[in-house]
Amino acid sequence: MSKKKINPQLDPYAVDKFATISANFKVWFLKFWLAGAAFYLAIMGIPSVNFDTLDRIVIMVLILTLAFEYIGFTVIIWMSKKGQDTLKHLPHHIDRKKMGSLLATGLYVVIITVLVLFTLELWVGILRFPTIGTLLNDIDADPFTFGLLFILFDYLWMLIRKVFKK
């Protein structure tokens, strides 16, 4: 019978299966999920009889701003530790206790959302390419495509920020 050696330096938070997933993947999945959930709640969840498309987009931007500021960025900051720097995934480094952080997050969300909506309009409206929703159940706009485009433009945002930061 062999005895297992117990490592005294064992990380108590790394005993589950999610500990093997990289922090970068968790952050990208969190951003994808928040963007898709906001799209689903605002665009698909609010009836078009009562609200115009522009009204639903404004509601989606507000949901995204609050979700990223108070859920997404909080989780990203909590995940940052020695050996895995997740702070590089934040779109700005304004003090989170000030109103400027909420305004900067709102500006970030507006820019990314406008880019995603223009890309969707080009993709579906002009080029007539299918989206994930078209392939699954014949709808032009869906949370999966919106979330994927959102993290694509978020990645470009991070690259541009990295270039200007140097």
Side-chain angles (χ1 to χ4, degrees), residues 81-126:
K81 64 180 183 179
K82 187 177 175 183
Q84 62 181 23
D85 181 31
T86 58
L87 296 179
K88 64 184 178 186
H89 294 286
L90 294 173
H92 59 79
H93 290 289
I94 298 173
D95 185 16
R96 295 193 68 240
K97 295 179 181 172
K98 296 186 178 176
M99 189 64 166
S101 176
L102 186 63
L103 295 175
T105 302
L107 180 65
Y108 155 77
V109 166
V110 166
I111 291 170
I112 299 294
T113 303
V114 166
L115 288 171
V116 169
L117 292 176
F118 280 148
T119 303
L120 276 174
E121 180 61 32
L122 174 71
W123 187 268
V124 175
I126 297 172

Side-chain angles (χ1 to χ4, degrees), residues 22-112:
S22 73
N24 291 330
F25 180 79
K26 291 176 190 175
V27 169
W28 290 115
F29 183 77
L30 174 69
K31 289 181 177 186
F32 166 77
W33 188 87
L34 286 174
F39 182 89
Y40 184 77
L41 287 173
I43 303 298
M44 300 178 82
I46 298 175
S48 60
V49 175
N50 299 338
F51 293 93
D52 188 5
T53 304
L54 185 60
D55 295 337
R56 292 185 288 164
I57 290 172
V58 169
I59 292 170
M60 181 183 65
V61 165
L62 292 174
I63 291 171
L64 274 171
T65 301
L66 294 175
F68 272 100
E69 181 70 21
Y70 295 112
I71 297 171
F73 298 158
T74 304
V75 171
I76 291 171
I77 291 170
W78 285 347
M79 287 175 61
S80 182
K81 64 180 183 179
K82 187 177 175 183
Q84 62 181 23
D85 181 31
T86 58
L87 296 179
K88 64 184 178 186
H89 294 286
L90 294 173
H92 59 79
H93 290 289
I94 298 173
D95 185 16
R96 295 193 68 240
K97 295 179 181 172
K98 296 186 178 176
M99 189 64 166
S101 176
L102 186 63
L103 295 175
T105 302
L107 180 65
Y108 155 77
V109 166
V110 166
I111 291 170
I112 299 294

